[in-house]
Amino acid sequence: MRTKKYDNYAKWYYLLPIMFVVTVLPLIVYLKVVPLTGASYDTWTGVTENYDFFSYYKGMWLIIAAALGLFMVVVRAFQNDPNLLKKELKQFYLVIGVYLLFIVGSTIISDYRAVALSGYPDRYEGVYVLIAYLVIFLITIALIQKESHVQYLLGALMIGAFAVGIIGLFQYLGYDPFKMDFVKSLFLPEQYKHIANDLEFQFDKYVIYATLFHYNYVGSYAAMLFPLCFTLFILTKSKSFKIAMGLMTLLMGIVWLGSNARSGIIGVAFAFIVLLIAINKIIKKYWKYFAAGLIIVLALFIGLNQISNGYIGTRVSSLFTDAKILIGMEENTAPGSESIPLKELKTSGNQGTIVTPSETLNFVFADDALAFTDGNGIPLETSYDSSNGKITIHNPAYKDYRLSYGRIDNNRILNLVKGNILLVFDLKPDRISLIDNKGNEVSLEPVEAWGFEGNERIGSSRGYIWSRSLPLLKNSLIFGYGPDTFAIAFPQHDIIGKMYAYHGDMWQVVDKPHNLYLQIAINTGVISLLAFLFLVGNYLFRCFRLYVSNPFDSFLSQAGVAVFVAIVGYLGAAFFNDSVVSVAPVFWVLLGLGVSVNHIISKRTGSV
């Protein structure tokens, strides 16, 4: 029996920090200009500042929200709230402690500690943000203690999702709010108002990125929200709430499909399979609403596909094509290694060699002069224009080469361009080296790859990223390279591999693995990944026990299974997407909410 004292310290306003996380945090868009130094600069695109709109301030406000939430828990502790620490959930507390240990340990031993602390450009998911994720998870478990708490938190989530959905809808129709002068004035600091007209946005109509930075992350967000709303629409008995959830299902369906994120499609597919398993005993009772939901999905697909001139259908079709290629049901007809413009690149002492599918070019730097020969060692006649540094090779086989030779900061430099081949060499009397656009030497050592040979372009080049990321696990079995240091650990010097994977873009910066599980294992270690898998695995196991064949005659059970399928949706999309501060906080709050709801239901049914 609850006492008056319990009601006093279990007021809704204690939930404000986590309500803020699911409502306001995903909507934050504001410019932060971050100077780049050290490893961040060395591995980034060559600019000295990162203009970030979507991640930096989300991370800062997340940390603030986590600190305020922790304060609320302390206040409740001084009020002698007996329900803060749930002894039955000690497994969750223990595994969070292990996860935290390896996050902090990976930061301490990282060779790139500055990045591990604050995060990498455009991402800013350093150690403080990762700790904030765990804190808000634990805070949610502690503060969610009764049905009204669940209602408040889900209500806050729906408000945030509605705002994301409306922004996304306008973007899909070609009326992107972020391209409007008034909106630009809201997310630009006063000293940067002058750049408003120069801002260029990566996406046009028929793509939704909302306030979440990229359509892939919208896919992860929708993989949670669409199944959650769909499930509540089916199961709720309240007519007004059912109408509201029907409208939210429609809006989140638009966001889901309009993002064009194939990862979101996969996540929702996993979620729907789990939902069907959970409600298998009562699906006949709710078949009308379930059928209505499926009709909504089908109508959305047809309508949005028609509006986008078939683009959504193309995306879905490519997903099935990639799957067939991977399992060997279909042959990969994409151009193979023969399509790589650069076949080989090597330097030895003062000599360099470039091999393309059609010819070989050798060059030697000696006595402040360059000499060129073909693949057979036959000298090539050249002329040099000292006014512009241009070198011309007088041989038809080399007519597509653009060469220039000159000095930069007292260093002698050779620039070579042929189509997509863009190379710069630092010339010294005894040594020639390849350098990048920041003047750093680029290693020409072979790059180790595991799997996906010939299928590197699978999943928008995820095959390439995964094949080069998997070997990194050998060095992160215990501790990882450090939070958010994936881009530094990745073999960015694999210019030949990138030329194939990215259709000629040899200097593409690979800053994320496009896989949450690889991201955790590489950044904070394989043991931390095992801790995370145990955490979500334990939650999913408890959900199966509680919800398979559940009658769902109470709001808590309906909310619990809705959160369950939302978590499954996110974890499914996570095979192809990373953790990012625009979306991950919502996942961690929902996971904490799901654990709390399960605990409340278990106590009521005596199955703890």
Side-chain angles (χ1 to χ4, degrees), residues 214-390:
H214 194 278
Y215 63 81
N216 279 332
Y217 306 135
V218 176
S220 288
Y221 184 83
M224 291 187 287
L225 269 295
F226 178 61
L228 188 149
C229 294
F230 186 90
T231 303
L232 290 175
F233 167 70
I234 292 173
L235 297 178
T236 186
K237 294 178 174 64
S238 167
K239 289 186 178 180
S240 58
F241 190 51
K242 190 178 286 292
I243 292 173
M245 286 301 96
L247 294 175
M248 283 301 298
T249 299
L250 177 63
L251 184 59
M252 289 299 98
I254 294 172
V255 172
W256 169 53
L257 291 173
S259 71
N260 296 298
R262 297 181 298 176
S263 54
I265 294 173
I266 292 172
V268 169
F270 276 109
F272 268 46
I273 291 170
V274 169
L275 176 61
L276 286 172
I277 294 172
I279 66 173
N280 71 93
K281 296 289 186 181
I282 61 165
I283 195 168
K284 290 182 180 179
K285 180 179 178 182
Y286 295 97
W287 74 269
K288 292 181 181 179
Y289 302 115
F290 192 85
L294 292 180
I295 291 172
I296 289 175
V297 173
L298 182 61
L300 284 176
F301 177 82
I302 294 173
L304 294 178
N305 191 54
Q306 185 70 24
I307 292 173
S308 64
N309 299 315
Y311 184 63
I312 293 178
T314 301
R315 295 287 287 173
V316 174
S317 175
S318 67
L319 185 62
F320 285 105
T321 300
D322 284 354
K324 290 178 181 178
I325 291 172
L326 278 178
I327 63 177
M329 289 181 60
E330 189 171 305
E331 187 177 347
N332 188 355
T333 57
S337 60
E338 68 278 0
S339 69
I340 303 176
L342 182 63
K343 303 292 290 182
E344 186 179 1
L345 173 62
K346 59 184 179 180
T347 61
S348 178
N350 67 341
Q351 302 180 32
T353 298
I354 299 161
V355 181
T356 74
S358 55
E359 76 286 317
T360 295
L361 178 65
N362 301 306
F363 59 95
V364 176
F365 180 67
D367 300 324
D368 288 342
L370 280 164
F372 298 86
T373 61
D374 64 14
N376 297 316
I378 300 174
L380 295 169
E381 182 184 351
T382 62
S383 59
Y384 175 64
D385 186 343
S386 60
S387 65
N388 56 22
K390 181 179 179 182

Side-chain angles (χ1 to χ4, degrees), residues 124 145 173 226 232 234 298 329 340 411 418 427 441 468 472 496 503 510 525 527:
Y124 300 107
Q145 298 182 0
L173 297 175
F226 178 61
L232 290 175
I234 292 173
L298 182 61
M329 289 181 60
I340 303 176
N411 294 324
K418 183 193 178 186
L427 307 176
E441 182 175 347
R468 271 60 171 180
L472 299 176
I496 294 179
H503 304 275
V510 180
I527 295 179

Side-chain angles (χ1 to χ4, degrees), residues 445-448 464-465 468-469 472 486-495 498 510:
E445 290 294 318
V447 174
E448 189 175 5
Y464 167 76
I465 297 173
R468 271 60 171 180
S469 298
L472 299 176
F486 170 82
I488 306 169
F490 189 85
Q492 301 289 354
H493 64 281
D494 183 25
I495 57 177
K498 288 180 182 179
V510 180

Side-chain angles (χ1 to χ4, degrees), residues 91-290:
Q91 288 182 324
F92 288 100
Y93 302 139
L94 178 62
V95 76
I96 283 293
V98 173
Y99 193 10
L100 176 62
L101 173 66
F102 285 91
I103 288 174
V104 174
S106 297
T107 304
I108 293 172
I109 70 167
S110 177
D111 293 332
Y112 322 107
R113 194 172 302 170
V115 175
L117 290 171
S118 60
Y120 195 73
D122 273 355
R123 300 183 47 78
Y124 300 107
E125 201 179 44
V127 65
Y128 304 122
V129 168
L130 295 188
I131 292 174
Y133 291 162
L134 305 188
V135 170
I136 60 171
F137 168 73
L138 294 174
I139 289 169
T140 305
I141 292 178
L143 297 180
I144 298 295
Q145 298 182 0
K146 56 182 181 177
E147 185 172 309
S148 62
H149 292 163
V150 179
Q151 292 170 341
Y152 281 125
L153 192 53
L154 285 179
L157 175 64
M158 293 303 156
I159 293 172
F162 180 78
V164 169
I166 293 298
I167 293 171
L169 177 60
F170 277 108
Q171 287 174 340
Y172 193 82
L173 297 175
Y175 302 101
D176 188 348
F178 293 118
K179 296 181 181 179
M180 300 177 181
D181 292 338
F182 169 71
V183 177
K184 288 180 183 179
S185 70
L186 297 178
F187 63 72
L188 285 173
E190 188 62 35
Q191 65 269 38
Y192 292 103
K193 298 285 188 185
H194 64 278
I195 70 170
N197 293 331
D198 298 326
L199 287 179
E200 295 183 3
F201 294 82
Q202 184 178 359
F203 306 110
D204 208 341
K205 63 179 180 178
Y206 310 142
V207 175
I208 294 175
Y209 65 95
T211 57
L212 306 180
F213 183 28
H214 194 278
Y215 63 81
N216 279 332
Y217 306 135
V218 176
S220 288
Y221 184 83
M224 291 187 287
L225 269 295
F226 178 61
L228 188 149
C229 294
F230 186 90
T231 303
L232 290 175
F233 167 70
I234 292 173
L235 297 178
T236 186
K237 294 178 174 64
S238 167
K239 289 186 178 180
S240 58
F241 190 51
K242 190 178 286 292
I243 292 173
M245 286 301 96
L247 294 175
M248 283 301 298
T249 299
L250 177 63
L251 184 59
M252 289 299 98
I254 294 172
V255 172
W256 169 53
L257 291 173
S259 71
N260 296 298
R262 297 181 298 176
S263 54
I265 294 173
I266 292 172
V268 169
F270 276 109
F272 268 46
I273 291 170
V274 169
L275 176 61
L276 286 172
I277 294 172
I279 66 173
N280 71 93
K281 296 289 186 181
I282 61 165
I283 195 168
K284 290 182 180 179
K285 180 179 178 182
Y286 295 97
W287 74 269
K288 292 181 181 179
Y289 302 115
F290 192 85

